[in-house]
Amino acid sequence: MFGLCVLAGVLVAFLMMPMASGAGAVVNQTTDAMASMSSSLAKRDMPQVSTVTDRDGKPIAHFFKDYRVETKPEEVPENMKSAITSVEDKRFWNHGGVDWQGTMRAMASNAGGGSTQGASTITQQYVKNYLVHVVAKNEVDAERAKETTIARKLREAKMAVELERTMTKEEILTGYLNVVPFGNQTFGIGAAARTYFNTTPDKLTVSQSALLAAIVNQPGSLNPETNPQDAIQRRNTVIDLMTDPHNRYVLTKEDAEKAKAEPLGVASPLGRPPNGCVGLGDGTTDGFFCEYLRDYLEKSGIDDDKLETGGYTVRTTLDRRASDAAKQAAEKQVPTQTEGIANAMAAVEPGDKHQVRALVANRDFGNNPSAGQTAYDIVSRVQPFGAGSIYKVFTAAAAINQGRSIFDTIDVPPSYTSQVFKNGTAPYTVSNAEGVQPGPRTLQMALATSPNTAFVKLEEQVGLNNAVDMASKLGLRQGMNGVNSSGSTLDEDGSNGPSQAEAVKRNNRGAFTLGYTPTSVLELSNVAATIMSGGKWCPPTPVEEVTDRNGNPVPLKEAPCEQVISPQVAGQLAQGMSLDDKVGTSKQAAQAAGWNRPLMGKTGTTQEHKSAAFLGATPQMAGAVLTYADGSRPRGICDSGGDAPPFLCGEGNIYGGKVPARTWYDAMMQVHAPLPVVPLPGG
């Protein structure tokens, strides 16, 4: 009796005194926050799931540290309130935040051991869980909030009393149900209802509510997925407790027996959505887009921590129809399981904003290489292989920008030894690809037939530096300035530099116009979008809008658009590339697809046939395809044509007009089917 009196005196004194400095001050700050917390404040502060949707608002991905779906008091059914109070705090509706009888009994029984167990009210548990799962910034803070000491118990009691003075019982109970863990990385009743029953809290049955109340007690050992027998036993115990006549909501004995007779009914698999970009289920067209979005948001002011806790809704630019069409075309030409060959495609819509509509590959985005998956973004990031003769576009653009016309005649010798560029210490000699005839032709026809010798000569005339700078201006920003010559991202201190652009310039590499350097498929697509946008470069954005948990717009720190070449130069360049599907290197693929609308296009192939690409655009959509050897021992790619997929071989025979062009035309035929025919600019 004496011991109980001492403990009671300590408790009363503690509750009446202000918090001390130091660690107590930190707790006092938390107390103040808890004391002033209303349902709106809780909604703002509670870690929430961020949802990513396509352009039409259909969810494609979720990001979270804790899977939590905010629930309002009116959305919690009476049977859930009864279940949780019956098992966790039967005097909840009557006490003032602390169950004095239970607390004194627990403190007396544990006084000798220096810790307290049991007797926590729901209000106290709300405080503790809020401190652990919301306030704590790291594991150390979380452990301090959970320590089983009398001091922690007293602080917790003080906070609970303060909380009861400023919030209603309904708000406290809902707040508790929103923050408490239910196992399987699921927090709060809203997420638990979806995870275990694929439903919403307001639709929970008696047996479902009882099971969730049971899980709260021991979410690990009572996991209904792995330990169903113990879970159902505990559930039935909760149901029996719900028949107590002292409950606010009393379950009849008859209804209790019916509820106990029901199976667990847990969803299989559990209804919790995948977290992040890997493992998006059947949405295999979304993984690469999702990963690019995550990187883009981080650079634009929403880092991973904010994304995983902020409760944002991110409506993206992903066009489901375009993405599905591109995915089908990529896999048709190079099936997913094709060993050692990747086929990646990006699509960007020209205009005032360069909105990314599709980022796909024959590979799926995931962690199972044996299933043809990769967890590396092979579509938006710079890849180790080049796009070949597509880079001739940059030399042509530099020439037009200096006053040349696409109808100017240029010389096409069968071979050419440069007096400007070097191959190491030796003179740089280049010849044309097989089938390319020598002889003078217009720059427009040269872009269609792609003679190497003509563009090396033209590169001498316009200046290598100008051609390299043009590539960066038109869209190869990361590819030229953000990576080194091997395609690796430059360190902030530049220790692994120089950049790819600087290396080309320093070493006077005339082969730049032949496209040997590492390339990003997305950036290549954005080059075409820049040309089709009248020479205006914009960052390829995957974002339509971002709103916070309250529906308010969230501004992003996106790079501004730039007028990099004049509309007249852009129009001439588009017209200069307008013959590729008619008399150029993609003619056969265009005819096979039934293409019949104006287009600017360019094919490209690297010297050893380890990669090939196609770049094409209409005023409505721009896109690029890169087909390359992505294995650990890359070899040449052989394209036998017809229905047979490509394969790795010795010397290789793939060209940009084969797999890449066929992929582009197949996809873009579907994308453009409902769109009107629009002429190219500059005509």
Side-chain angles (χ1 to χ4, degrees):
M1 181 64 68
F2 176 76
L4 285 175
C5 291
V6 172
L7 288 171
V10 171
L11 180 58
V12 172
F14 185 88
L15 291 175
M16 295 182 65
M17 65 187 293
M19 289 292 182
S21 59
V26 175
V27 177
N28 197 41
Q29 293 171 7
T30 305
T31 305
D32 293 340
M34 296 292 291
S36 62
M37 184 172 62
S38 64
S39 57
S40 61
L41 179 60
K43 185 176 182 180
R44 185 172 70 247
D45 286 346
M46 198 82 72
Q48 288 291 299
V49 175
S50 290
T51 301
V52 176
T53 76
D54 62 18
R55 65 184 298 191
D56 297 320
K58 179 182 177 182
I60 60 175
H62 301 82
F63 289 88
F64 53 87
K65 286 185 178 178
D66 303 332
Y67 178 45
R68 181 183 284 105
V69 178
E70 192 77 19
T71 301
K72 299 177 182 178
E74 61 270 22
E75 296 172 336
V76 181
E78 288 296 329
N79 58 51
M80 185 66 230
K81 297 174 185 176
S82 176
I84 198 68
T85 55
S86 294
V87 70
E88 292 296 320
D89 186 2
K90 65 181 181 181
R91 285 188 283 271
F92 171 74
W93 300 104
N94 300 315
H95 63 62
V98 178
D99 183 351
W100 299 111
Q101 297 177 25
T103 298
M104 296 305 296
R105 185 168 55 251
M107 290 177 68
S109 65
N110 290 283
S115 66
T116 62
Q117 301 293 335
S120 289
T121 65
I122 280 178
T123 312
Q124 289 172 281
Q125 291 182 53
Y126 179 26
V127 170
K128 184 181 75 172
N129 279 284
Y130 192 87
L131 293 174
V132 172
H133 300 299
V134 179
V135 176
K137 301 301 182 184
N138 50 52
E139 289 297 325
V140 174
D141 289 347
E143 288 303 316
R144 286 174 179 168
K146 292 186 291 185
E147 60 185 3
T148 54
T149 64
I150 290 178
R152 193 272 297 173
K153 198 73 173 180
L154 292 173
R155 291 194 298 268
E156 186 180 277
K158 178 177 176 64
M159 295 180 197
V161 171
E162 292 292 331
L163 201 60
E164 291 268 355
R165 293 173 182 169
T166 56
M167 295 178 68
T168 67
K169 285 287 187 179
E170 292 284 354
E171 289 173 337
I172 291 171
L173 184 58
T174 305
Y176 167 76
L177 286 172
N178 272 324
V179 75
V180 71
F182 284 88
N184 284 296
Q185 205 183 347
T186 299
F187 290 75
I189 191 64
R194 298 188 186 188
T195 294
Y196 293 107
F197 303 114
N198 282 323
T199 190
T200 53
D202 59 299
K203 294 184 175 67
L204 287 170
T205 66
V206 168
S207 63
Q208 290 171 341
S209 293
L211 177 61
L212 295 182
I215 292 173
V216 168
N217 186 259
Q218 300 177 54
S221 60
L222 293 176
N223 186 337
E225 187 179 42
T226 59
N227 193 6
Q229 292 303 318
D230 287 349
I232 200 168
Q233 183 177 349
R234 180 67 176 174
R235 180 203 68 175
N236 291 347
T237 298
V238 174
I239 293 173
D240 287 335
L241 292 172
M242 293 171 68
T243 64
D244 189 323
H246 295 95
N247 288 335
R248 197 176 73 163
Y249 170 86
V250 180
L251 184 66
T252 67
K253 296 287 186 180
E254 181 181 2
D255 288 341
E257 292 304 315
K258 290 180 180 178
K260 287 160 63 176
E262 293 180 13
L264 283 178
V266 173
S268 181
L270 296 180
R272 192 191 73 204
N275 185 8
C277 299
V278 175
L280 294 181
D282 294 333
T284 52
T285 61
D286 303 336
F288 296 110
F289 189 100
C290 175
E291 186 68 4
Y292 175 62
L293 170 72
R294 187 188 65 79
D295 289 343
Y296 192 88
L297 289 174
E298 184 166 16
K299 295 172 183 175
S300 302
I302 301 179
D303 60 23
D304 283 350
D305 184 67
K306 291 180 181 178
L307 188 61
E308 292 172 353
T309 60
Y312 298 103
T313 297
V314 183
R315 186 163 67 89
T316 73
T317 59
L318 177 68
D319 184 316
R320 174 67 55 202
R321 192 173 59 83
S323 185
D324 288 348
K327 176 68 172 174
Q328 292 167 10
E331 288 188 349
K332 176 183 176 182
Q333 293 300 320
V334 186
T336 299
Q337 296 286 7
T338 303
E339 183 179 357
I341 303 177
N343 195 29
M345 181 174 184
V348 178
E349 185 174 335
D352 292 335
K353 292 182 67 177
H354 291 183
Q355 296 178 315
V356 181
R357 297 306 188 193
L359 294 174
V360 304
N362 65 318
R363 305 286 185 223
D364 293 335
F365 191 74
N367 292 319
N368 187 359
S370 63
Q373 296 180 354
T374 176
Y376 181 74
D377 183 356
I378 62 174
V379 190
S380 67
R381 294 184 182 176
V382 176
Q383 298 309 300
F385 293 99
S389 292
I390 289 175
Y391 275 43
K392 292 170 182 174
V393 171
F394 307 128
T395 302
I400 296 169
N401 197 49
Q402 293 175 9
R404 298 284 190 101
S405 165
I406 59 171
F407 302 113
D408 286 353
T409 300
I410 60 175
D411 187 29
V412 181
S415 66
Y416 181 70
T417 299
S418 175
Q419 302 302 311
V420 176
F421 306 126
K422 299 290 183 181
N423 183 11
T425 58
Y428 177 54
T429 299
V430 64
S431 58
N432 295 319
E434 183 180 354
V436 178
Q437 298 299 317
R441 67 204 66 180
T442 63
L443 177 57
Q444 183 185 46
M445 187 60 71
L447 283 166
T449 55
S450 201
N452 295 334
T453 56
F455 281 95
V456 171
K457 288 189 67 174
L458 186 61
E459 188 180 42
E460 287 181 345
Q461 296 165 13
V462 303
L464 174 62
N465 289 6
N466 291 327
V468 173
D469 291 343
M470 183 60 71
S472 179
K473 287 179 180 179
L474 291 178
L476 300 190
R477 302 293 174 99
Q478 176 70 9
M480 287 288 93
N481 306 309
V483 299
N484 58 25
S485 57
S486 65
S488 299
T489 301
L490 284 178
D491 294 337
E492 290 186 5
D493 60 3
S495 58
N496 64 337
S499 70
Q500 189 164 251
E502 187 62 29
V504 170
K505 293 177 180 179
R506 284 184 189 179
N507 295 285
N508 201 28
R509 292 174 179 165
F512 172 76
T513 196
L514 305 185
Y516 72 91
T517 56
T519 304
S520 159
V521 187
L522 173 58
E523 286 197 324
L524 205 59
S525 295
N526 204 38
V527 166
T530 299
I531 299 169
M532 281 296 175
S533 301
K536 183 176 69 175
W537 175 90
C538 297
T541 180
V543 180
E544 285 275 8
E545 65 174 353
V546 179
T547 54
D548 63 19
R549 66 184 66 197
N550 299 314
N552 300 315
V554 178
L556 297 180
K557 301 174 184 177
E558 297 181 276
C561 296
E562 304 170 20
Q563 190 71 43
V564 293
I565 55 176
S566 71
Q568 293 74 25
V569 171
Q572 271 223 42
L573 188 57
Q575 291 295 323
M577 300 168 64
S578 65
L579 301 181
D580 202 78
D581 60 320
K582 302 176 181 65
V583 297
T585 48
S586 71
K587 177 182 176 180
Q588 186 174 353
Q591 290 179 339
W595 186 263
N596 60 358
R597 63 176 68 210
L599 146 123
M600 57 164 258
K602 185 74 188 76
T603 62
T605 309
T606 52
Q607 188 172 7
E608 296 180 334
H609 297 275
K610 292 179 181 178
S611 64
F614 182 74
L615 175 68
T618 69
Q620 296 126 315
M621 192 69 71
V625 178
L626 180 66
T627 308
Y628 65 97
D630 69 340
S632 58
R633 299 178 62 185
R635 292 181 288 161
I637 300 173
C638 279
D639 180 350
S640 56
D643 296 329
F647 56 94
L648 296 178
C649 55
E651 297 181 359
N653 69 354
I654 195 171
Y655 287 96
K658 294 185 176 182
V659 167
R662 292 198 295 265
T663 300
W664 192 96
Y665 284 113
D666 284 351
M668 289 301 185
M669 282 292 292
Q670 296 183 58
V671 170
H672 285 82
L675 302 178
V677 175
V678 179
L680 294 178

